[in-house]
């Protein structure tokens, strides 16, 4: 896909919309590269954990260092994925701590007391703290064709770029299997023991088979991907989102807002008032699990409580920004498969 139009999103959309959430203040105009190309594998093995390091990322940018990077700073979700592969980062940026000081859902199994948090919310990135870490490389995801680094502020991106090279893993308009493979390759290049992770990869494949079978057995069950804010309810389309594109490919029957309805959300989602939350008839609702959104148990809107899927208890969580390790993605498949297996037609 090339020459995509730039899409401007509101701050509310950045925080609450299930799907892409933000893409910075703007989805930059698309480049000429094919976003589904996936890039190439690291060209140097890191098994010996020494010697030069080379990695070509999903922007087509090749980073070359004299040695495997030791001082890694990464977006929180990326750091959580690398942690699952045994790679410890020095610093993180992005949702890491909740307001009560606990680990954010996007931090996964990381011990957040052992990393320097240089930014915890949107548009927060302490450049001085970053410089003090003497970073070898910065790693983040990208939600657009232009390779915009997720959670790296537009205002300070040039200063940040001068301190260390960056690596981007694309999570834009592809199925989740592509960024999972890229994160695997990245972890391997950084010296991870991939033999230890092989079991998780097999479990992912088994879970995918289960979900495909569940979807085939219940084709009549309609699933809606939602996200809640105080004023609006967001319904995500499957296009562009790595998890929903994959689930759809496995046969899950999703509710799809028309493209015209998703225009305000940059093609990712439709915004509904709570009075109109019953616009679509869903049997299962998957709700955004990020801390920036209102969770189902805390939604007090009467119109929400009257939805057939809510009354039937057929509401499950969804991770619009999955931690890209096979271990963390297995439950995403299993939870949806189980929901489909147990679901009744209620809409």
């Amino acid at each position: 896909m090339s020459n995509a139009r730039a899409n401007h999103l509101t701050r509310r959309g950045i925080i609450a919309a299930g799907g892409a959430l933000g893409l910075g203040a703007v989805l930059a105009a698309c480049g000429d590269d094919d976003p589904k190309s996936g890039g190439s594998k690291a060209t140097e093995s890191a098994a010996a954990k020494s010697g030069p390091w080379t990695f070509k990322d999903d922007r087509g940018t090749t980073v070359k260092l004299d040695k495997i990077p030791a001082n890694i700073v990464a977006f929180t979700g990326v750091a959580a994925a690398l942690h699952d592969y045994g790679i410890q980062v020095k610093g993180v940026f992005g949702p890491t701590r909740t307001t009560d000081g606990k680990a954010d859902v996007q931090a996964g199994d990381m011990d957040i007391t052992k990393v320097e948090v240089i930014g915890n919310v949107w548009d927060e990135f302490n450049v001085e703290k970053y410089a003090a870490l003497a970073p070898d490389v910065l790693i983040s995801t990208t939600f657009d064709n232009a390779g915009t680094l997720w959670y790296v502020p537009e205002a300070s991106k040039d200063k940040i770029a001068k301190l260390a090279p960056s690596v981007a893993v694309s999570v834009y308009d592809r199925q989740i299997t592509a960024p999972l493979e890229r994160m695997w390759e990245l972890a391997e290049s950084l010296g991870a023991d991939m033999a230890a992770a092989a079991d998780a990869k097999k479990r992912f494949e088994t879970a995918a088979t289960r979900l495909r079978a569940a979807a085939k057995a219940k084709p009549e069950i309609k699933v809606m991907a939602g996200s809640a804010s105080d004023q609006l309810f967001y319904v995500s389309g499957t296009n562009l989102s790595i998890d929903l594109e994959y689930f759809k490919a496995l046969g899950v029957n999703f509710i799809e807002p028309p493209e015209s309805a998703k225009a305000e959300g940059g093609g990712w989602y439709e915004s509904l008032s709570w009075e109109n939350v019953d616009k679509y008839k869903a049997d299962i609702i998957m709700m955004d699990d990020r801390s920036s959104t209102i969770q189902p148990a805390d939604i007090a809107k009467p119109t929400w409580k009257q939805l057939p899927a809510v009354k039937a208890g057929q509401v499950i969580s969804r991770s619009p920004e999955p931690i890209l390790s096979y271990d963390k993605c297995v439950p995403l498949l299993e939870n949806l498969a189980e929901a489909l297996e147990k679901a009744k037609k209620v809409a």
Side-chain angles (χ1 to χ4, degrees), residues 280-347:
Y280 298 109
K281 310 304 179 185
D283 301 296
I284 295 173
I285 302 176
M286 302 176 68
M287 288 296 290
D288 190 336
D289 68 355
R290 287 171 293 186
S291 57
S292 57
T293 67
I294 301 176
Q295 297 306 299
D298 299 319
I299 300 175
K301 308 290 185 180
T303 50
W304 164 259
K305 294 181 179 181
Q306 291 303 310
L307 294 176
V310 176
K311 293 172 72 174
Q314 295 180 172
V315 178
I316 64 173
S317 66
R318 175 201 169 206
S319 299
E321 293 183 65
I323 294 172
L324 295 171
S325 70
Y326 286 101
D327 180 71
K328 290 297 182 294
C329 288
V330 167
L332 308 184
L333 297 170
E334 291 180 336
N335 291 346
L336 182 53
E338 181 179 7
L340 282 169
E341 290 163 355
K342 294 181 178 179
K344 297 180 180 179
K345 185 67 180 174
V346 296

Side-chain angles (χ1 to χ4, degrees), residues 140-296:
S140 189
T141 51
T142 181
F143 279 91
D144 61 25
N145 276 334
T148 305
L149 294 171
W150 191 228
Y151 267 80
V152 173
E154 180 70 20
S156 55
K157 67 176 185 179
D158 292 339
K159 291 181 180 179
I160 293 166
K162 291 177 181 178
L163 295 170
S166 62
V167 166
V169 175
S170 179
V171 289
Y172 176 67
D173 195 17
R174 60 195 62 200
Q175 295 179 24
I176 196 172
T177 46
L180 274 172
E181 184 62 29
R182 294 296 282 147
M183 193 64 70
W184 174 285
E185 293 166 3
L186 178 60
E188 185 174 32
S189 79
L190 293 169
D193 178 5
M194 307 317 291
D199 177 66
K201 193 170 185 179
K202 290 180 181 178
R203 288 189 290 111
F204 179 89
E205 293 165 355
T206 299
T209 299
R210 177 184 175 185
L211 178 54
R212 188 188 296 276
K216 185 177 182 180
K218 297 280 186 75
E220 74 282 4
I221 298 297
K222 288 187 172 293
V223 181
M224 179 169 68
S227 183
S229 72
D230 183 59
Q231 298 297 320
L232 295 170
F233 183 83
Y234 303 89
V235 180
S236 291
T238 58
N239 190 31
L240 306 181
S241 298
I242 58 172
D243 61 329
L244 302 184
E245 283 203 11
Y246 185 54
F247 299 156
K248 180 173 67 174
L250 292 176
V252 178
N253 184 8
F254 279 99
I255 287 170
E256 298 279 3
E259 291 302 316
S260 58
K262 295 187 294 180
E264 183 183 349
W268 294 83
Y269 58 86
E270 177 182 1
S271 304
L272 298 175
S273 67
W274 283 103
E275 289 76 15
N276 296 315
V277 74
D278 61 350
K279 177 179 179 179
Y280 298 109
K281 310 304 179 185
D283 301 296
I284 295 173
I285 302 176
M286 302 176 68
M287 288 296 290
D288 190 336
D289 68 355
R290 287 171 293 186
S291 57
S292 57
T293 67
I294 301 176
Q295 297 306 299

Side-chain angles (χ1 to χ4, degrees), residues 72-80 82 89-94 96 118 130 137-140:
I72 301 170
V73 176
F75 171 67
T76 302
V78 170
L82 291 176
V89 305
K90 299 291 185 181
V92 296
F93 55 94
T96 306
I118 59 178
Y130 178 59
V137 67
L138 179 149
I139 309 174
S140 189

